[in-house]
Amino acid sequence: MFVNFLSTFEDHVAGIFGAARSPFSFKKLARQAAHEMEDQTLVVNGVNTAPALYTILIANEDDPLMAPYYPQLTREVSEFVKASAEKKHYTFVGEPLVRFMIDPSLKAGRFSVFAENVDAATLGRLYEEERAYQKGLSGQMNIVNPRPAPAPARQAAPAEPDPFAVSDPFAPSEPEPIAVPKTVTRAQMAAGAGASIAANMASSRPQQRAAAPLAQLVDVVTGDVLPISGSRCIVGRERAAADVVLRDPNVSRRHAELLYTGSDWSIEDLNSTNGTLVNNRRITRCPLRNGDLLTFGLSTFEFRG
């Protein structure tokens, strides 16, 4: 029966991509999703409850290829997960949610699948986040599909934070991330205009990249030091949406923002799903002092400013 599920799923995915080639095997992806579901299923009130949240991490290079297919792919993976759960008589706290995220450490053609147990309220908030993303993605696809004269349009506004927003649909309308030069260059190179715009970006901020960081986040477990080089710093999970990127599925795409006024630092939670803690207390916004402990998801850092 499971083989039949896989075959049906594989046929549907092949139909979605059509003549285009999938960057990796969705059959392997389905097997990994089923394995994750099995590992994370819990007994709640005597009922086998399967995880309702499935995060698929993909490489930055594969995102532009897959972005047009995300709505259909998430539906197909969700249907596969539900069929697998039904076969085992598992239940869910709500409609399973499947979402694609970029992991900057992954190479092209690689992926990872993580299943998580979340309560119904958290699942609902995550659904709202994904609906907003899908709506933005749909709007961008409508703009881009005609592609009447893409190169002149991009050259006309080289200073915009993300002139290739379609390559990364999660990108917010914020100043370009500190780590953007490498990511944007890849996207722009793929569109045939990378060299000139990368040069524009390099000439527009020559001193900022070389300047010493204004502050640091030090991982209390590993000791890794994450520099903060700008007066505004977004912490989150999505590379294009954040300046400091955390590989933690409990961290939101845009989780929190650190602000520097020239004399004082403060931190503000950006309506993250799991909240932001300062010295083990959940905050909405508060001032920061040297040595404060900041917790995003399961990751805790010492602030040094």
Side-chain angles (χ1 to χ4, degrees), residues 94-248:
E95 185 73 9
L97 172 60
V98 177
R99 56 188 184 174
F100 285 85
M101 300 279 189
I102 295 173
D103 182 344
S105 70
L106 288 176
K107 296 181 179 179
R110 299 302 182 99
F111 67 89
S112 296
V113 182
F114 294 94
E116 300 174 75
N117 291 284
V118 296
D119 57 34
T122 300
L123 186 65
R125 290 196 296 271
L126 291 173
Y127 255 111
E128 289 302 316
E129 180 182 320
E130 288 305 301
R131 287 191 187 101
Y133 158 62
Q134 297 287 359
K135 183 178 179 180
L137 176 64
S138 176
Q140 290 174 354
M141 290 300 108
N142 290 337
I143 293 173
V144 169
N145 283 340
R147 299 177 68 97
R154 288 166 184 157
Q155 294 171 2
E160 289 184 2
D162 188 0
F164 290 86
V166 175
S167 296
D168 195 339
F170 288 96
S173 55
E174 300 283 350
E176 62 267 35
I178 300 306
V180 142
K182 181 182 294 184
T183 304
V184 172
T185 298
R186 285 197 192 121
Q188 293 165 342
M189 285 293 187
S196 62
I197 298 203
N200 289 338
M201 292 181 63
S203 62
S204 66
R205 296 198 307 164
Q207 297 181 350
Q208 182 171 332
R209 292 199 299 271
L214 299 176
Q216 296 176 328
L217 295 178
V218 182
D219 192 309
V220 299
V221 176
T222 66
D224 291 341
V225 178
L226 305 178
I228 300 175
S229 301
S231 59
R232 301 181 67 187
C233 174
I234 302 293
V235 178
R237 186 173 55 202
E238 193 68 40
R239 182 170 187 172
D243 305 306
V244 171
V245 180
L246 305 180
R247 293 184 60 196
D248 181 347

